[in-house]
Each structure stands twice: as C-alpha cells, then as structure tokens.
Amino acid sequence: MRVEAERWFEFLQERFEEVERRPKHQRMLGEAYGRLTVHLDHGGIGQALKQLDWMRAETQFFASHPDFPVGPADG
C-alpha cells in the first residue's frame, strides 16, 4: 500500500503543479499522504485506506495524462 501511495502522491503533486491547483490541494495531498503513512506505521490499515481512496479519486481528474500510473504497484 505504501508503494502505491507514493506513486499516487508523486503523480498528483506534479499534476497539481501543472494545473496550478495550489496551495489548498497541495496541502490536502500532503495531509492525506502523511496520515496514510502514520496509520500504516501504527497498524491503522482501514484509516490508511481512506486516505489512499482520496488520492485515487483525485487521480481520476488526470486519467488521460500520459504519465498516469496504471497497473499494480511494484514492490
């Protein structure tokens, strides 16, 4: 899950910069990723999934982007 989260985080961070969806969306992305990692570190898988679901939903706005990550996460 952490590898997938890192992949979505990096992808969204770049897309938000391209479309100037900052600082609000950048902050929300950082908070979601931070919460996800804390929950993973402390066994809160369900809560981590909620944060990952938010990132997945945000990526759908950029589904046609050529760098859109597809397929299962490596690692």
Side-chain angles (χ1 to χ4, degrees), residues 17-53:
E17 288 176 7
E18 288 175 358
V19 297
E20 299 180 5
R21 287 178 75 180
R22 316 177 283 211
K24 177 184 171 184
H25 286 87
Q26 288 283 17
R27 189 183 80 232
M28 290 169 52
L29 175 60
E31 289 175 2
Y33 182 72
R35 287 184 181 127
L36 181 143
T37 58
V38 167
H39 288 302
L40 283 179
D41 290 346
H42 297 283
I45 302 301
Q47 291 298 319
L49 277 172
K50 288 181 181 180
Q51 303 307 314
L52 185 58
D53 286 344

Side-chain angles (χ1 to χ4, degrees), residues 1-2 4-9 12 16 28-29 31-37 39-40 44-61 68:
M1 184 183 318
R2 191 178 303 265
E4 181 183 356
E6 289 172 1
R7 182 177 61 175
W8 291 132
F9 176 77
L12 283 170
F16 287 169
M28 290 169 52
L29 175 60
E31 289 175 2
Y33 182 72
R35 287 184 181 127
L36 181 143
T37 58
H39 288 302
L40 283 179
I45 302 301
Q47 291 298 319
L49 277 172
K50 288 181 181 180
Q51 303 307 314
L52 185 58
D53 286 344
W54 180 86
M55 288 195 285
R56 288 174 179 155
E58 287 295 309
T59 63
Q60 296 310 305
F61 292 105
F68 189 83

